[in-house]
Amino acid sequence: GGNTLVGSSPTARTRKSMKLFILTFIIMLQLNTAYADEMKEKMKQFILENPEIILKSLENYEVQLEKKQNLESKKKIIEYKSDILDSSNGLYSGKSESQTSIVKFSDYNCSYCKKAHQDIVKIKKKFPNVKIIYKNFPILSPLSEKLARISYLIAENDNEKFNIFHNLILSNKGPLNDKKVNNILKDL
C-alpha cells in the first residue's frame, strides 16, 4: 500500500475509528443521562413552584373525559331512541300522539324523583300537549321494584288509573311502606 502510514493498516484504522465511536457514544450517553436528570429536577422544581399547573391539567382531563362520556351517551340515546320513546306499556301521561315528549326515569322511593314530579306536574299544566313518558328505574329498595311492577300492571290495563296511582305514590310524603301502598291501591 502506497498511501498507508507506517504501522497503520486499514484494519487498524477501522478499529481505532470504532473505539473512537464507542467512546463518543458512551460520553454522549453519560451527558444525556446527566441532562435528563437535570431536566427532571428542573421540571420537579417548576411543578413545586407552580402547583396550579397540575390542577389545570386535571381540569383539562376532566373536560376531555366529560366530552367523551357525553358523546358516548348521545350515541346510546340515538341507538336506543325507539325504546326510550316507547310508551306502548301505558307508562305515560298527556297526549299519546304528542310530537313533544319528556322522558322521566325514576324510582318511586326516591325523594329527588318526588320533587321532580312536582315540576313535571307544573310542566303538564303549562304545556298540555306534552307527553310525559315514565321509565321505572327501581334501584333503592325491594319496595321500589314492587311499585314498578304494580305500575306496569295497572298501566297495561288502564292508563288513567296508572296516572292516578303514579301521582298518589309520588305525591306521598315520607317513606312508603306496604300499608300506604295497599291504601292507595284500594282507592283506585
Side-chain angles (χ1 to χ4, degrees):
N3 288 345
T4 41
L5 298 171
V6 177
S8 176
S9 69
T11 307
R13 282 195 310 265
T14 304
R15 279 192 212 134
K16 189 174 185 180
S17 293
M18 282 302 287
K19 286 179 183 178
L20 185 59
F21 174 77
I22 291 172
L23 181 61
T24 304
F25 184 74
I26 290 171
I27 290 171
M28 291 301 290
L29 279 177
Q30 291 296 325
L31 289 175
N32 206 12
T33 302
Y35 177 74
D37 288 343
E38 182 182 335
M39 269 311 278
K40 194 188 283 185
E41 191 57 39
K42 283 183 179 181
M43 289 173 67
K44 179 180 173 184
Q45 191 63 36
F46 179 79
I47 291 171
L48 290 173
E49 291 172 3
N50 301 285
E52 67 276 3
I53 297 294
I54 299 279
L55 296 174
K56 183 66 177 165
S57 175
L58 289 173
E59 286 173 15
N60 288 341
Y61 175 72
E62 286 178 2
V63 167
Q64 290 171 1
L65 188 61
E66 186 176 346
K67 284 180 182 178
K68 182 181 176 189
Q69 289 171 338
N70 286 341
L71 183 61
E72 289 173 14
S73 294
K74 286 178 184 179
K75 286 179 183 176
K76 291 284 185 193
I77 289 170
I78 291 167
E79 182 180 350
Y80 294 105
K81 182 179 179 180
S82 63
D83 291 333
I84 293 169
L85 295 175
D86 180 22
S87 60
S88 63
N89 59 10
L91 296 176
Y92 70 91
S93 62
K95 298 187 181 215
S96 61
E97 307 84 28
S98 179
Q99 296 299 310
T100 305
S101 297
I102 295 173
V103 180
K104 181 178 181 266
F105 292 82
S106 62
D107 182 315
Y108 284 114
N109 273 316
C110 169
S111 59
Y112 296 106
C113 299
K114 288 181 178 187
K115 288 177 186 174
H117 178 69
Q118 300 312 312
D119 293 332
I120 292 291
V121 169
K122 290 175 190 172
I123 290 170
K124 286 182 355 185
K125 284 180 184 173
K126 191 170 181 175
F127 304 99
N129 290 328
V130 171
K131 177 181 180 180
I132 313 295
I133 301 169
Y134 302 103
K135 300 293 182 180
N136 287 320
F137 196 59
I139 59 171
L140 295 177
S141 71
L143 184 58
S144 298
E145 189 174 336
K146 182 178 181 179
L147 290 168
R149 290 175 191 264
I150 290 170
S151 73
Y152 283 121
L153 290 172
I154 295 170
E156 185 177 63
N157 295 311
D158 190 334
N159 175 265
E160 211 171 295
K161 280 188 179 180
F162 159 75
N163 278 288
I164 294 168
F165 172 80
H166 183 79
N167 287 323
L168 288 172
I169 293 290
L170 288 175
S171 298
N172 186 47
K173 303 290 183 216
L176 292 165
N177 56 42
D178 284 333
K179 185 178 180 182
K180 285 183 180 180
V181 173
N182 285 335
N183 288 336
I184 289 170
L185 289 171
K186 283 179 192 174
D187 290 342
L188 290 179

